[in-house]
Amino acid sequence: MLLRTSTLLLRTLREDPADAEVPSHQLLLRAGYVRRAAPGGYTWLPLGKLVLDRVTEIVRAEMLAIGDQEVHFPALLPAEPYRTSGRWTEYGDDIFTLADRRGAEHLLAPTHEEMAALLVKDLFTSYRDFPVTLFQVQTKFRDEARPRAGLLRGREFLMKDAYSFDLDEAGLQRAYDRHRAAYQTVFARLGLDVTVVRAMSGAMGGSASEEFLAAAAVGEDTYVGCTACDYAANTEAVVTHAPAAGDPHTHPALAVHDTPETPTIASLVELANDRALAGRADWTAADTLKNVVLTVRRPGADQAELLVIGLPGDREVDLKRVEAALAPATVAVFDDWPAHPELVRGYLGPQILAKHAVRYLVDPRVVPGTSWLTGANEPGRHATDVVCGRDFTPDGTIEAAEVRAGDPCPACGAGELTMRRGIEVGHIFQLGRRYTDAFAVDVLGPAGRPVRPTMGCYGIGVSRLVASIAEQHHDDRGLVWPAAVAPCDVHLIAAGKGPQLDAALDLGGRLAAAGLRVLVDDRTHVSAGVKFTDAELIGIPLAVVVGRRLTDGYVELRDRASGERVELPLAGLVERLLDEVTGARPGRV
Ligand code: ATP
Ligand code: MG
């Protein structure tokens, strides 16, 4: 393949576009890989399409290597199967829905569990047909609340989605493990630093699930590791260690105190110590019970419900954790105080919530027998010795509190949690029978009785991967593609016109004939300096500069990643580059 810059649909930009905030988005726009075409929608320019296709091919090859079979479902689907599975409403505002000319409701599929289950039901009748795994690489549509960061969160994006069908749990576990291993191979081949973490299952349903997070400061996911063991989890999935419950009846009686002007935890703690409330002057925020009012809307429900969350006052509520815990419901901060006079802002305590039928969930640290300083449900007043299991009874627990670096590890208890940010590039789930139940997918079992297959599903964000690789592989001059996904193997730069250009084109032709992907900067109206700057921005691993030393039979080879430059004779250069690209040099390809 030989591309010529003079005719390529490419325009590089010197400045960061105003609407691009994260490095991958800025660089992919500036270097001419993508153009924004719609909110959350991007056009792949020729260089970008080459990278996307190489990434897709690596993903596809590793899926085929584990025996998955490629299919292709329509993206435009009738509503019916999604109604049957319940996801028409569960996915809520995130799905694009539309009606055809006859008024029949359709959707642009956000993912295809329903179709995979129906296809297997359609074609397979016997246990002998199993196990089977189907996959596709397809454009998905989601009406994301916050499309952002270019390809990282689009409303239209490319996904590889696979669906496994097994007859028993052991089979599902094997399929899951196979995909887990294949994913690690995919990400290693792509040159991505990825961590596998425990995850929540979200709108997908099902039980065991893990995410593959590519380390990146701009990532939307926060995940924890442990200093002592190999525990790794998305903060959404971190489980708080609950202390042992105690006897609620050993504490002094609840006492109400005047605490004027103390609507915040900090002001309350200060006053409690100044006045030695309940005879103590060692109050800390962790002794207080903070009650946060939220509204929760279940998919399809007209009205949001009130939810109060109680947690130790030294912790903030992490809304992402709350949403993950309550998925598929959505959550908002409550602000309609006038409509609920029973909720006294700044002085709310759980003592009255049951009476008003307000749902109350607590942090796992709020166990029966714990005693708290909390609101007395009157302006300017708080209560001490408000005891869980005596003065209030929560409706359950919820993982709502922020996770902090230094928290004890929930797995080993010995280590401390460390925190990093990452981009979710893949997600694997053991779904179970949610979808095969919904569509009554039954096949004839070995004993003549019907058996119902169990499913796994495995997603990779293919277009998001391109941005994730860019996020991990760039410097202040531009992109630095790993060789496995670069749009071209070699960027030939004709520093001048005439013989230098002729030699560059000749060399380009010979490299392309040898099977390399080549971009020749054959522009005659721009300076060598501009070409060098563009080459660094575009980020092809190797550049060959055909310049003044051509008269002596030499060109310069530049390594984009190391910055290393060497002069090489033109004679034998094709073989030399071929060796270099096909991996004769260890660690290159
Ligand atoms: P997220 O938590 O980032 O919204 P998700 O949990 O909704 O992702 P899945 O339903 O698990 O995503 O989809 C499989 C994969 O598709 C994800 O791991 C991610 O890499 C990719 N993906 C999901 N949503 C988007 C999007 N809006 N734009 C680009 N890629 C996406
Ligand atoms: Mg996910």
Side-chain angles (χ1 to χ4, degrees):
M1 184 191 76
L2 181 67
L3 300 175
R4 297 173 65 147
T5 310
S6 61
T7 55
L8 191 63
L9 183 66
L10 168 72
R11 207 188 68 210
T12 56
L13 310 172
R14 288 286 162 262
E15 304 294 324
D16 285 330
D19 58 342
E21 275 142 32
V22 309
S24 60
H25 191 197
Q26 292 167 344
L27 289 169
L28 290 168
L29 285 171
R30 279 183 49 203
Y33 285 79
V34 296
R35 291 294 289 177
R36 183 178 178 278
Y42 288 81
T43 303
W44 294 91
L45 300 179
L47 290 182
K49 182 69 167 65
L50 288 166
V51 175
L52 180 67
D53 285 352
R54 293 194 78 188
V55 171
T56 307
E57 264 326 300
I58 288 173
V59 173
R60 173 178 284 123
E62 295 304 330
M63 293 302 108
L64 292 171
I66 56 168
D68 289 10
Q69 301 176 45
E70 187 163 8
V71 295
H72 198 90
F73 294 109
L76 175 64
L77 294 170
E80 210 38 53
Y82 285 76
R83 285 197 195 286
T84 305
S85 70
R87 288 209 299 179
W88 180 264
T89 41
E90 247 176 50
Y91 245 109
D93 293 337
D94 282 2
I95 42 175
F96 280 105
T97 59
L98 64 162
D100 70 11
R101 64 172 74 203
R102 280 176 286 278
E105 284 183 298
H106 285 69
L107 80 167
L108 296 173
T111 156
H112 280 79
E113 283 73 10
E114 287 82 352
M115 290 296 108
L118 283 171
L119 186 62
V120 165
K121 180 183 169 88
D122 185 17
L123 293 176
F124 281 1
T125 51
S126 160
Y127 71 94
R128 290 194 192 84
D129 298 327
F130 293 84
V132 66
T133 301
L134 308 175
F135 83 100
Q136 62 170 347
V137 180
Q138 200 204 34
T139 301
K140 296 285 194 269
F141 298 86
R142 293 185 188 177
D143 192 357
E144 296 280 354
R146 289 170 290 277
R148 69 178 278 278
L151 300 173
L152 287 178
R153 186 171 294 285
R155 299 205 298 175
E156 177 176 340
F157 57 95
L158 197 62
M159 190 198 288
K160 186 286 299 176
D161 42 329
Y163 307 94
S164 68
F165 295 82
D166 282 273
L167 297 177
D168 54 27
E169 306 318 310
L172 172 57
Q173 186 65 47
R174 280 193 298 274
Y176 183 89
D177 293 343
R178 216 165 37 238
H179 286 84
R180 193 180 195 274
Y183 275 32
Q184 277 167 322
T185 309
V186 165
F187 299 130
R189 285 185 64 184
L190 296 175
L192 269 182
D193 168 17
V194 165
T195 305
V196 192
V197 305
R198 300 177 197 214
M200 301 285 281
S201 312
M204 228 46 96
S207 50
S209 102
E210 287 168 297
E211 283 168 351
F212 294 74
L213 299 182
V218 303
E220 286 184 60
D221 286 275
T222 313
Y223 60 105
V224 302
C226 171
T227 51
C229 72
D230 62 2
Y231 179 75
N234 194 308
T235 49
E236 290 175 1
V238 171
V239 177
T240 307
H241 175 72
D247 180 356
H249 301 287
T250 56
H251 295 275
L254 180 155
V256 174
H257 309 265
D258 282 327
T259 56
E261 311 293 332
T262 56
T264 63
I265 297 290
S267 55
L268 172 63
V269 170
E270 195 184 328
L271 178 138
N273 285 326
D274 284 354
R275 299 206 183 162
L277 282 198
R280 278 176 64 178
D282 60 350
W283 294 100
T284 69
D287 301 318
T288 69
L289 182 63
K290 168 156 54 182
N291 297 290
V292 178
V293 191
L294 302 173
T295 58
V296 178
R297 197 161 70 87
R298 286 168 209 283
D302 299 332
Q303 290 236 320
E305 287 167 37
L306 280 183
L307 169 67
V308 179
I309 292 179
L311 71 164
D314 61 336
R315 301 255 164 187
E316 298 299 329
V317 163
D318 178 341
L319 281 182
K320 276 191 87 172
R321 268 168 58 77
V322 176
E323 285 220 317
L326 299 178
T330 53
V331 178
V333 176
F334 169 82
D335 57 7
D336 195 6
W337 298 95
H340 287 276
E342 75 278 16
L343 304 178
V344 182
R345 189 176 195 171
Y347 300 91
L348 180 61
Q351 306 86 301
I352 52 122
L353 295 176
K355 185 172 82 195
H356 293 286
V358 176
R359 196 162 164 232
Y360 187 56
L361 298 177
V362 291
D363 180 86
R365 283 164 279 231
V366 185
V367 290
T370 50
S371 169
W372 303 92
L373 165 56
T374 192
N377 299 299
E378 295 172 66
R381 305 191 87 187
H382 280 91
T384 50
D385 284 302
V386 182
V387 176
C388 180
R390 182 187 75 183
D391 303 310
F392 67 95
T393 306
D395 298 308
T397 59
I398 184 169
E399 291 292 347
E402 57 173 335
V403 175
R404 289 196 208 126
D407 282 351
C409 170
C412 69
E416 290 184 354
L417 296 183
T418 55
M419 298 185 81
R420 285 215 286 171
R421 293 187 77 81
I423 302 165
E424 181 191 322
V425 289
H427 199 163
I428 54 177
F429 300 86
Q430 294 190 21
L431 281 173
R433 295 190 170 77
R434 166 168 181 184
Y435 296 91
T436 47
D437 280 346
F439 299 106
V441 183
D442 286 321
V443 298
L444 196 65
R449 274 193 300 277
V451 284
R452 188 159 283 182
T454 179
M455 281 176 74
C457 75
Y458 317 94
I460 289 185
V462 178
S463 48
R464 181 181 282 187
L465 271 178
V466 173
S468 306
I469 297 168
E471 213 48 70
Q472 287 190 358
H473 295 273
H474 70 267
D475 60 21
D476 52 4
R477 286 165 290 142
L479 295 158
V480 187
W481 293 110
V485 300
C488 293
D489 304 311
V490 181
H491 197 156
L492 278 177
I493 299 164
K497 300 178 211 174
Q500 293 175 9
L501 177 56
D502 294 342
L505 286 171
D506 173 67
L507 181 59
R510 288 189 288 129
L511 288 170
L516 295 188
R517 303 174 183 84
V518 185
L519 173 62
V520 188
D521 196 339
D522 59 343
R523 290 174 294 177
T524 49
H525 60 282
V526 301
S527 69
V530 167
K531 292 182 180 184
F532 297 154
T533 309
D534 276 350
E536 290 190 316
L537 182 58
I538 290 168
I540 292 168
L542 297 173
V544 173
V545 182
V546 184
R548 269 193 289 275
R549 288 272 282 145
L550 177 68
T551 46
D552 312 318
Y554 278 89
V555 295
E556 187 181 74
L557 180 65
R558 298 183 177 184
D559 185 307
R560 177 64 183 91
S562 68
E564 201 185 313
R565 298 177 181 193
V566 284
E567 291 221 307
L568 293 174
L570 197 48
L573 189 67
V574 173
E575 294 69 30
R576 167 75 196 256
L577 287 176
L578 204 56
D579 275 1
E580 187 109 349
V581 172
T582 53
R585 257 223 220 156
R588 185 32 79 42
V589 171

